Structure formats: C-alpha cells, structure tokens
C-alpha cells in the first residue's frame, strides 16, 4: 500500500477525481445491497421493497467554494442544500432527509449560524426534505459545511449516468453559464470595494445583475423536471447534474455510457442576462456556458421520439446534441459550422 | 427570525448543543417517515419492512479533534470511522455504509490521503461497512473530515436514549478514561519534542503506554456487545455511546428518559494502565473516567434480572449504578461513602 518513493505528491498534481479512483481500487469491504457506490451522482442501495435508497454528500469550503464577503448567510444555507439535493434529482430520485455538519470559526456568531439555518430550512421546505441530524464543531480558520442527503428512487425509474444509447438526444434543463456570470460580477464588486478601502458606505449596485447574481448565490435544484418526468411516466436513459460545467458533465456521462457526444454550439441555452455580463467583461459567453459550473441544471438523454412527447409537458429544456459511437469522440459543431473536439476547447 | 440585538454572540457563549436545540425549534419541513431526528445518537427513519434506517454524521477538525503531530494517518482514518459507527451501535443497530468527505490543505500529500483511507477501509472491514461515497475538496489551512454513516436496526430491537426505567442497572462496556490518559501522554511527548527543537531524531518512547495510546489513537467501537445482545435476544432499555465522558452521557440518558441516576465511584471501570498514567501525571484518575471522552464504549440500561442473564454471555461490562426517580437528581457515591451531586463534580 505504501508508496515506495518518498516524493511528496500533491493532490493537485493528480487531481482529486483520479485520487478517489485510485483509492476505491483498494480491496475494501463490500456489501451485497450496495448497487453502486462512487462513480455516479449518488450511491444506490437496495431496499427490501420496490424502492432504492440514494445517498450523497458534499463539502463546501469557505474561500474555495464560497466567499462570505458577498454571500448572505441565508443564501449560503439555501445553496449548499440545493446543490446536495441536486445529486438526488440527478438519479431521478426524491430527496427525503439531510444531515448538516459545520466546522465553525469563532468570527461566526450565533446569529449568523441561525441565518445559515434559515436558508437550509427554506431549501428543505421547497424540496420536501427534513433536517434529521448533523453537528456543529469549532474550527480555527474558515467555515466548512458538509451536507449529506438521502432520498428514494423507484427501482424502475432510477437513472444512471451510464444508460445513454447511441442516437439519444442530449437535453439540458434551464440555462447554463448564469452562475459563473454572477460570480464574475460579485468578484468585480468585491475588488472595487477592496480597492476603495473596504468602505462599508459603498453598497454594490447589483440591481442590473439580479438574474445572474441569483444564479450564483441561490441556484435552484430542478425538482420540477423530476416531477414532470414522473407525472408523464418518461424515464431518461441517463442523467447527471451540471455542477462542474457542461463539457465536464457531457464527458462524464459519455464515458460512463461508453459513447461519444456531438453537440451544437448554437444550441447552448444561454440567458440574455448572461450574455450581457460576458459582453461587459469582454469575455466569450460560450465559455461561460461550456465551463461554468454550479448552475444545478440537469443534463439528461432521451430517445428522439420521447423528446417530442416530453416537450408537450415541459418547456424549460433544450436539445444540445446527441450521443454518438465512442470512436467518434467528443465534438462540438461551432456556430460557424466548424467541428472541434472537446480537447481543443479547454 | 433575525435577532433584534446587534450584539455579536459567540457560539461558545451558548454552546453548540444549546444552539442546535434553538435551531431545531424552527418551523421546519417534517416527513412522516422520520421517527426521530436530532436528540439521539443517530436519526431514525422508517423503512417499508421490519427494519429502520439509522443515519448519523460527525465532523473531525484538525487542531480541535485531532493533532497530526502525533496521529499516524491510518490511525486517524480508523478512528473517525470507528467513532461515527459507534453512533449506530448506540442505537442497537448495525452499520452498513458510509460517506467520507474531506477538506484537505496542500501540505497533505496523496500518500497521506491513501494512508488515511487505509485506516478507513480497515475500520470498514472490521465493522462490515462499505465506503459508498463522499468527496475530496481543497482547504486552506487544516484537514476537516466528515463521516456520515447509515445502518439498520430491527424495529423490535432499536434502543433509544429515552427508554430507561426506574431501577434499571446502568451498565458500561469495557473501561473508561483510557483515551484521555493516552492523550495526556501524547501531549507530554509533543511538548517535550517541541522544547527540544523538534528534532526528528528524538523518537517518543511510548512502549510503556501502548494501552492508553491505543485507546486514544485507535479506539474500537463495540460491535461485539451489539452482536452478543442480539444473539441472546436481550434488548437494553436505553443506550448511548461514551464520546464526551461518563458524566455527560449519564446526564443525557437520564434527561432523555426523564429520570435521575445514582452511580458508585468504586464501580467505575478503570484499567490499571490508565491508573498508572494518572499517578505519573499526579492527577485524579476518577476525573479521567468521569470526564474523559472518546472511549467509544457503550452505556446501556437493563433491568436487574437481565443483567444477571447477560453476564453469563458477555464479560466485558460492569454495572456502575442505577436509574432513580428524576427528583433524586444525578448523584455519585464516592469511594469514601459520601454522596455528591454531579454539579459538584465538575
């Protein structure tokens, strides 16, 4: 087990995803009832009945995943829960309960914690999910929050990343890139504020940017999509939630399904407000859409025929491409008609 | 919701337990299938069948809960899992799976993370618990680990803190105070090492203290107790695991059960090795036993008659007192025969 070399290998040098893969190769204890563990949005465990239990947990680190200088505490509480719950929706399941663990530095007051919890409970209410446990520990420097969610999926409805078929349409709910556009605005305002001596009298003017700032601070997990799929008995062939950016998510889904993907740049769902921000920043809005994370939208695949049916019931999604044989790789047709591989994009 | 006063109230000033209680008074979303949420060792959720699902999560903070200067990484991995799993045993249940979330500073290498996981998997093996998920995030300063465990209990066997009856014997597995004694030794060695310029050639001599150091670094959760109870179909009236010290745990259990407790100082199970450390430190070993945490032993209550039966099957527990009416409060009879209230102890 021990590495023979004494060299200090940083986690950044191999990436946390690769490290987790190396670790999970260990000859570890396995239980019969565990259907899938690492490798999808949530772990899946067999129940006695017709349902499956889904479990997922995410850690959010102050200074890495969020910045308290521009994040209201109740928004923070709402967002960490929405993001954790989105992993359950991404399995076509419903969240039921959550455990909240916080490591709290002493510059965070009782009132601030209560504000975070106000957001947590608001998200719980909207997503019918009860806070059932967790703890509160002291930390030296920064706030660290872990949200663990459990939920249920019907055995016949559960949807994995790995189920996409050749020819399936790649669909995505809502729009993408908005959360990154919001982050850009908030970072600009923070910089301005710092350069002006941190004067508390200067209030950032965010009114014009409400849409994108909201996309960043309080993104909403797509319960509506999951409910509509259920109502009309449509089961996607595969699903994943968009938290690290479209390119990453399409790649994950294609790899898990043993396929390639072909997408159309012109079809990327980008809000007009997101375009305005990119223009103002003199940046490429398509990069926001392709690489921006945290939108909490759901990417899913459906046979063409079912897309035609589903569009009658749910209007907040678009088709951005289709699944192709693995040997065709990952490609995007640009608005100008050129075809570029995903490798050229990054 | 917002507090009208603008005063900065620290979490320490009211305590995290009181704060969590205040928070859970919020008018939050509740689900029908949640039997109990906060307030016991684990949350309890109804399944469709004859079992209940148990869920619990704990956060461990470097510099607060553990010190990497004297904690081998694989021991750390083992301990955080054993401690989290102990909460499932404390409901008379069996752990099945766990999610591991880490926020990792860049002075922690790939090899160190693998060593932590080696300990995690070793604990998983011993407790038949599979690692089913989690994540790995960057952190700025210190290592923060959250372990979330789920398990199962039979409906007829689940044991809450609240079920103790007047006259029940208060039993405890193993011995207590050993983990604190080990911490004392490790802190002394660390101080010595620091005072001698942190010379890596000076290896601490811990051979004489193996028992207590092991109690601190790799305490074992009491699967054996839970299995033996099951084999002989004995169900305690109440249970709690000893992680914050006997006095705290007896108080929690008594409060939950609406009773008082009367314990005998002379009956406290203290290992000879723990006594030696207290003698060497010129400290009171009974304080180690009463206030030392992290031993991961299980406190449980049984009617006298069942104690007599259980002692034939399991020899690693002792009776330290009995449950009394609430109005008699929390008291300890000292070795000299005096009776002191718990309030006088601290």
């Amino acid at each position: 087990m021990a590495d023979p070399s004494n060299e200090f290998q940083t986690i950044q040098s191999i990436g946390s995803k690769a490290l987790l893969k190396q670790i999970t190769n260990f000859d570890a204890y396995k239980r019969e009832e565990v259907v899938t563990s690492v490798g999808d949005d949530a772990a899946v465990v067999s129940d006695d009945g017709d349902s499956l239990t889904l479990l997922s947990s995410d850690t959010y680190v102050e200074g890495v995943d969020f910045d308290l200088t521009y994040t209201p505490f109740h928004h923070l509480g709402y967002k960490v829960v929405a993001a954790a719950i989105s992993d359950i929706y991404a399995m076509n399941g419903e969240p039921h309960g959550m455990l909240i663990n916080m490591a709290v530095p002493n510059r965070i007051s009782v009132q601030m914690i209560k504000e975070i919890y106000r957001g947590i409970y608001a998200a719980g209410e909207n997503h019918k999910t009860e806070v059932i446990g967790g703890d509160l520990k002291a930390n030296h420097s920064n706030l660290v929050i872990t949200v663990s969610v459990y939920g249920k999926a019907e055995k016949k409805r559960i949807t994995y990343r790995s189920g996409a078929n050749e020819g399936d349409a790649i669909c995505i709910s809502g729009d993408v890139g908005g959360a990154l556009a919001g982050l850009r605005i908030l970072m600009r305002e923070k910089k301005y504020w710092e350069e002006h001596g941190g004067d508390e009298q200067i209030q950032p003017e965010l009114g014009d940017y409400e849409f994108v700032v909201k996309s960043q601070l309080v993104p909403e997990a797509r319960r509506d999509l999951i409910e509509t799929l259920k109502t009309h008995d449509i089961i996607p062939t595969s699903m994943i939630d968009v938290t690290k950016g479209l390119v990453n998510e399409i790649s994950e889904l294609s790899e898990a399904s043993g396929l390639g993907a072909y997408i159309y740049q012109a079809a990327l769902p980008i809000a007009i407000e997101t375009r305005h921000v990119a223009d103002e920043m003199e940046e490429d809005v398509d990069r926001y859409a392709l690489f921006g994370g945290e939108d909490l939208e759901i990417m899913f695949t459906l046979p063409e025929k079912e897309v035609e049916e589903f569009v009658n019931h749910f209007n907040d999604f678009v088709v951005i491409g289709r699944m192709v044989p693995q040997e065709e790789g990952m490609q995007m047709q640009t608005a100008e008609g050129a075809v570029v591989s995903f490798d050229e994009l990054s």
Side-chain angles (χ1 to χ4, degrees), chain A:
Chain A
M1 195 70 66
D3 196 295
S5 82
N6 284 318
E7 206 189 327
F8 188 97
Q9 195 180 12
T10 65
I11 294 162
Q12 287 77 359
S13 73
I14 69 165
S16 65
K17 194 181 145 194
L19 175 54
L20 281 174
K21 266 195 186 154
Q22 284 186 27
I23 287 166
T24 43
N25 284 338
F26 288 3
D27 185 21
Y29 188 82
K30 302 284 179 205
R31 290 192 71 96
E32 223 172 50
E33 73 273 17
V34 175
V35 182
T36 55
S37 54
V38 271
D40 216 309
D41 289 274
V44 181
V45 180
S46 270
D47 290 343
D48 296 333
D50 292 334
S51 67
L52 296 161
T53 294
L54 308 173
L55 292 132
S56 179
S57 61
D58 287 311
T59 290
Y60 307 91
V61 179
E62 181 190 351
V64 177
D65 300 301
F66 60 89
D67 186 331
L68 287 177
T69 55
Y70 53 69
T71 309
F73 289 101
H74 66 284
H75 284 177
L76 176 62
Y78 197 99
K79 180 173 177 172
V80 296
V81 169
I85 279 175
S86 182
D87 284 326
I88 303 296
Y89 292 143
M91 306 297 292
N92 209 10
E94 285 183 28
H96 284 201
M98 55 183 151
L99 302 129
I100 309 289
N101 294 75
M102 290 195 206
V104 184
N106 61 15
R107 68 192 151 74
I108 304 286
S109 72
V110 165
Q111 288 74 10
M112 293 167 188
I113 294 290
K114 286 186 180 176
E115 276 295 289
I116 296 174
Y117 264 89
R118 190 161 69 87
I120 287 170
Y121 284 117
E125 186 78 33
N126 287 349
H127 294 281
K128 301 186 179 174
T129 304
E130 181 172 341
V131 176
I132 59 167
D135 65 4
L136 210 57
K137 284 284 183 82
N139 195 13
H140 289 300
S141 50
N142 57 343
L143 180 63
V144 178
I145 308 177
T146 299
V147 182
S148 306
V149 187
Y150 83 92
K152 298 279 181 181
E154 293 172 56
K155 271 183 186 155
K156 63 183 171 87
R157 296 196 57 79
I158 190 157
T159 306
Y160 296 99
R161 291 180 182 178
S162 57
N165 298 311
E166 203 183 307
D168 281 353
I170 303 171
C171 309
I172 185 156
S173 66
D175 64 279
V176 288
L180 178 56
L183 183 64
R184 281 279 198 266
I185 293 297
L186 289 165
M187 285 171 71
R188 185 182 68 181
E189 294 302 318
K190 182 186 175 182
K191 197 173 163 215
Y192 181 85
W193 187 76
E194 286 173 345
E195 283 171 359
H196 289 72
D199 184 347
E200 289 188 13
Q201 300 303 313
I202 304 173
Q203 289 294 316
E205 287 180 23
L206 298 175
D208 290 349
Y209 306 106
E210 192 184 340
F211 176 86
V212 294
V213 167
K214 225 178 138 186
S215 296
Q216 168 58 222
L217 295 180
V218 275
E220 189 58 289
R222 300 305 302 251
R223 184 178 188 87
D224 57 343
L225 170 68
I226 306 308
E227 283 180 341
T228 311
L229 285 167
K230 190 174 179 180
T231 303
H232 298 284
D233 202 21
I234 291 171
I235 302 170
T237 51
S238 72
M239 283 179 118
I240 187 169
D241 73 332
V242 182
T243 49
K244 290 178 187 160
L246 265 194
V247 164
N248 177 73
E249 264 67 84
I250 297 174
S251 303
E252 293 273 3
L253 192 146
S254 299
E255 190 189 331
S257 297
L259 293 170
Y262 190 93
I263 66 165
Y264 301 91
Q265 186 175 18
L268 297 175
I270 301 171
I272 187 73
E273 294 88 344
T274 303
R275 289 189 189 281
H276 286 164
V277 171
D279 289 349
E280 201 178 319
M281 298 283 174
E282 297 178 353
E283 292 176 327
D284 179 359
V285 74
D286 287 333
R287 294 193 68 83
Y288 284 24
L290 292 168
F291 297 103
E294 303 187 284
D295 288 304
L296 302 193
E297 299 297 345
I298 301 275
M299 184 184 297
F300 55 103
T301 55
L302 279 176
E304 285 292 350
K305 204 169 52 95
E306 295 199 23
V307 173
E308 286 163 34
E309 192 200 330
F310 191 51
V311 82
N312 296 321
H313 310 299
F314 192 77
N315 61 13
D316 194 21
F317 80 101
V318 293
V319 173
I320 60 166
R322 58 193 155 76
M323 302 306 294
V324 298
Q326 192 162 34
E327 53 274 23
E328 295 182 23
M330 313 293 299
Q331 294 183 310
M332 182 175 82
Q333 183 177 312
T334 68
E336 295 77 29
V339 176
V340 294
S341 85
F342 275 26
D343 294 336
E344 294 169 73
L345 286 175
S346 53

